[in-house]
Amino acid sequence: MPESTENKAMSSAAKQLSNRRLPPLSATGSSGNKSGGSHGRSTPPGGGGTSIPTLSDSISTEQVTSYLDENPDFLENYVLSNVKQDQLERWVIRGAHKITNHRETNGLDNEVSSGDKTNSLSNWKFCVHSDKKKMLQELTREIHRHPNKPQVLSELTNCVASAISADGFNLYLVDECGNDIYYFKPNSNNTKSSSVCTRKIGPGSTLAAYVAYTKQTVCVDDVLGDERFPEGVAVGGGIAKSVLAQPIIESSGSVVGVVELYRTIQGKSFAAEDEEIVSRYIVWATVAVYYAEMYHTMTKQRKLNDFLLAVTRSVFQDIVSMDTVIMKIMNFAQRLTNADRASLFLVDYKTNELYARIFDVGDGQGLQKVDGTVHKEIRFPMDKGIAGHVASTGETTNILDAYKDDRFNRDVDRQTGYTTKTILCMPIYIRGCIIGVVQMVNKLNGVFTKSDEEAFETFAVYCGLALHHAKLYDKIRRSEQKNKVALEVLSYHARCSEEEVTECINMQTPEKIPGLTTFEFSPWSVEDTRKPVYVLYMFKDLFKTIRFDLEYLMRFTLTVRKNYRNVPYHNWIHAFSVAHSMYTLIKSTNNTFTPLESLSLFVACLCHDLDHRGKTNSFMVKSDTPLAAIYSTSTMEHHHFNQTVTILQHEGHNIFNHLTSQEYKEVLGNIKKFILATDLALFFGNKARLKELADKKEFVWNKEEHRSMLAAHCMTAADLCSMYKPWQLTEKLAKIIMEEFWLQGDEEKEQGIEPIAMMDRDKADQLPQSQVGFIVGICLPCYELLANILPETHPMVMGASSNLKKWKELAEKQGAEKETQSEA
């Protein structure tokens, strides 16, 4: 870079080291011979220019001394040209010791000479060799006391300022991101956020920011008014005039800080000798910083190891549940990174979703379950948000400003009033597979750093192990609950006897049953002993092309019958009626379900309420039953399917033994899907999607997804078959199902729970109104949508509409009677 009248030449630290030589001395002689050059130096012997006087052989020592005193330029040029550097340094060291002894003898060790402060060769060599030794010894002791980079550089800057007689100094450090430079105040908390001055690295602001940008030393006689750094000296700029700023560069080439030394208006400008002294100290400093950083890293690693040991003890000694482990991981993650909040999302690869049941609500109460009572889950797609991005890509994401990142979802902040600033989101692996994502929000003292990422990367390994073991523990616990349920079931149920099988096989199966394929047919009118025969008949009629083992089929049917409990409504008779409804639907409509889909539908109807206890899902959850511990959603429906599989696994009960492995897997998958569809909590979502297809005329039979939605809808229609039967039968069945509801309400009252009106025996007079609401809200929309796709099912709509009219009449009659009683 070219020189100006206000600026000295700038050179990099590397260049200073490669061109080390003794700097020229300023002329101090009394004669004032200053011909040629900006420093008034004469040309060395043999170089032309200034002539050298001839001396006689008889000249005395006093004359030589006097001559040299009067011609300092001659002495300087002669020494630089003819004396070797090692010899010169030996002279200076001996002279430095004499000066030091003189100062110590006269009590001047802590005083600055009041004489001329001109930077002479002796002063420079004194600093480099004598004072430097003491300073470096003191620095070494300081490093031992405070082995961290900021402290080392602070002490170094202090020593350098003393060595070159600077009136003041500043130390600036580069942040871990390498974007900003901030003023370091000794004895502070060493953080960027607490600094009184922070600037972006680059030209156009302060001198320190410019030096960090160019990686070159800058020495100026007057710091004010330079367009490269218009803000001048950031701290102490009001009194600074001559400034020397030098970057501290690591061996990797990256800048870690800037040393800024200044003299006031009364002081002299810095010279090249000062720059050389600073350069030499900084060379030593880079080595010292390297070892200080190594010591600091080892200390951090030891603390991290202690932290991870505490994590291991805490987590693995107290694996009670997955929620407990998650809460501990989130608490430790907050402590590790000093974050304000933390969240842990687990990956559900079956649905490609992230889910969480525990999170920090940010109200000072710490980590909580989603609703505080029941383990419901927050779920969202894996491709949504920052957590989704990390789960999908496996990349660690460190966001310094959340509102500048398009992936950040601002809706959460709007709803909670919380302000998200910084985010650190990292994946958790187990066996090379991402099982979760931890997201930490708002570091309390600045931004998340590379050190935070590295520390948490190690911590994440332990998180993965803890979660993996928690899952295993959860499986074991669930297995124990299943065993309890199995023992309970086995204590009540049993397989059918071989006598029952033989008796039913010997019964004559009719070749044709009149009226069986009509929607008005009453399955409740069939004798209980004949129902298995009717099931056998319907199997043969529906699946002529599929070969069944007659004995297996009868044994399966009889065992299914035996596994229904003797509850008022959800019993074997109800299962038989639902199976008949599905038989009628398949036989009488122009559907194109595949044979395996039809088979799955019929078997699902037959088994859809196996081992029903006459209680709703919500009651099972509220009562904290073992079933609710196993299945958190669709509790009874999952149990019904599990019982179906259990029966199929009994010897001589597998009616699908003729199917291939792939067909068997498909049928079981369909049966599970169709049984779960009888949960009315899932009905409304499925109906909305199917209705959209029907309204837009987009339903296509050759699409498996469309057929699956329709099949699930058919399951609900068949399950509600009592609502479209003839009025006398519908009214009778309504009272039966209400008896089952009232029994649950009676039990809830015993537990101190207030039952809903439909379950309250004391509100039995509200039966007509409740039936009207049930038909209008669920039954008719279900039947009408089904008739829209399968017009042959219109009798369902007609039957339900007719019954609705009857229920309305009863409700109006009841209302009129109540008004009459109130008037009386």
Side-chain angles (χ1 to χ4, degrees), residues 686-733:
N686 183 68
K687 179 180 76 71
R689 294 191 294 272
L690 185 61
K691 188 175 187 304
E692 183 179 0
L693 290 175
D695 291 345
K696 294 180 179 179
K697 308 295 183 183
E698 294 178 353
F699 181 85
V700 180
W701 277 102
N702 59 11
K703 285 191 176 182
E704 182 182 352
E705 181 184 1
H706 292 189
R707 293 198 311 273
S708 180
M709 281 191 286
L710 178 60
H713 194 81
C714 290
M715 287 294 299
T716 303
D719 196 19
L720 303 176
C721 62
S722 64
M723 306 307 292
Y724 65 77
K725 295 298 180 180
W727 166 249
Q728 293 80 5
L729 182 57
T730 295
E731 185 182 24
K732 178 182 177 182
L733 294 171

Side-chain angles (χ1 to χ4, degrees), residues 305-324:
N305 292 341
D306 294 340
F307 176 84
L308 295 175
L309 182 60
V311 171
T312 305
R313 286 175 179 157
S314 177
V315 173
F316 288 94
Q317 289 179 0
D318 191 23
I319 298 181
V320 177
S321 67
M322 177 67 80
D323 289 345
T324 302

Side-chain angles (χ1 to χ4, degrees), residues 495 642-654 664:
R495 303 180 194 178
N642 189 55
Q643 287 302 108
T644 303
V645 175
T646 300
I647 294 174
L648 286 169
Q649 289 174 343
H650 289 329
E651 185 179 355
H653 287 72
N654 188 3
Y664 184 79

Side-chain angles (χ1 to χ4, degrees), residues 28-31 55-56 58-76:
T28 57
S30 58
S31 63
L55 301 177
S56 64
S58 60
I59 191 169
S60 65
T61 303
E62 289 78 15
Q63 289 177 309
V64 172
T65 302
S66 176
Y67 176 82
L68 293 177
D69 286 341
E70 294 175 356
N71 296 274
D73 290 342
F74 169 81
L75 174 63
E76 177 181 344

